[in-house]
Amino acid sequence: VIKAPTLLELNGPMPMSFPALNHVQYRLTPEGNGTRLALIHRAMGLLPQDLKHGMPQGWEHGMKRIKEIAELKTKNRNGGAR
């Protein structure tokens, strides 16, 4: 589901090699001079315990990378550091 510019939802096995189904929702909302990105991830199926326990750290890393890339693009769009 895409409801630009505020919502992106993805469903499916997402690169998992075992029986599992995922639903990932990215929601963007204006906040001050920026945008807040909220993430919801739901998964069900035969998920190994190590994957379940590592998922929060994986999503945290992914969200940090999205923030870094967005901030770099904003900086470049605004003519770099001044």
Side-chain angles (χ1 to χ4, degrees), residues 34-46:
T35 303
R36 175 175 293 276
L37 172 61
L39 167 76
I40 296 175
H41 175 220
R42 294 179 181 98
M44 64 180 195
L46 300 176

Side-chain angles (χ1 to χ4, degrees), residues 11-72:
N11 294 292
M14 314 233 180
M16 293 184 176
S17 59
F18 36 84
L21 183 64
N22 291 275
H23 176 252
V24 178
Q25 180 187 83
Y26 296 95
R27 186 173 297 277
L28 296 110
T29 53
E31 185 171 285
N33 291 330
T35 303
R36 175 175 293 276
L37 172 61
L39 167 76
I40 296 175
H41 175 220
R42 294 179 181 98
M44 64 180 195
L46 300 176
L47 304 171
Q49 286 293 25
D50 59 334
L51 179 74
K52 286 182 191 180
H53 294 299
M55 221 169 267
Q57 293 86 359
W59 281 117
E60 183 177 335
H61 173 76
M63 294 293 277
K64 282 181 183 176
R65 285 293 298 139
I66 290 170
K67 181 180 180 188
E68 290 169 1
I69 292 166
E71 287 174 345
L72 182 61

Side-chain angles (χ1 to χ4, degrees), residues 69-82:
I69 292 166
E71 287 174 345
L72 182 61
K73 287 184 178 251
T74 299
K75 180 180 173 183
N76 289 341
R77 189 177 326 128
N78 294 333
R82 294 180 191 227

